[in-house]
Amino acid sequence: GPTPVYNLHGFVARLRHEGSSSCVVAIAGTSFYNWRNIRADLEFWRTKWPTWSGSCADWCYGCEVMKGFASSYQELRDEIFASLEQLKCSAVTFTGHSLGGSIAVLA
């Protein structure tokens, strides 16, 4: 980050245990000094989830989530996956607070 629309920040790290390929993705919560973070929280109408198509999308047919959370996740998704691939992660733990926690749940 920061991302272009919601100004999101997060970190991807590989744990430093010998032989470990486990990683942690930590996503920052809402900053009340950042109107773009607040915008994500205020987009509270429901939208279809997941928003992509394909076999991975079939696990939650008919599901809906808050628009701001879905859009925030979509904004970070490619960057998160690229970082996890680059770090060669075999196991991942997602965490976050506030807005970041919502994104972590969707991930």
Side-chain angles (χ1 to χ4, degrees):
T3 59
V5 177
Y6 297 105
N7 201 38
L8 305 166
H9 296 81
F11 301 92
V12 179
R14 185 169 173 168
L15 302 179
R16 297 188 76 167
H17 299 288
E18 188 174 322
S20 174
S21 58
S22 296
C23 295
V24 174
V25 177
I27 305 166
T30 304
S31 167
F32 289 102
Y33 301 103
N34 185 324
W35 67 268
R36 292 191 287 173
N37 283 179
I38 295 167
R39 174 183 165 192
D41 287 333
L42 292 175
E43 291 179 353
F44 55 82
W45 53 92
R46 294 180 301 183
T47 189
K48 180 183 171 197
W49 180 259
T51 57
W52 57 90
S53 60
S55 61
C56 293
D58 295 339
W59 58 268
C60 197
Y61 179 77
C63 291
E64 295 180 324
V65 298
M66 274 182 50
K67 168 77 166 113
F69 297 163
S71 296
S72 295
Y73 171 71
Q74 284 297 113
E75 193 170 50
L76 282 174
R77 185 174 189 260
D78 290 342
E79 195 171 339
I80 289 171
F81 276 91
S83 296
L84 293 172
E85 186 175 316
Q86 180 183 6
L87 293 171
K88 297 178 178 33
C89 303
S90 64
V92 182
T93 300
F94 287 87
T95 189
H97 176 262
S98 186
L99 175 59
S102 299
I103 297 167
V105 168
L106 295 177

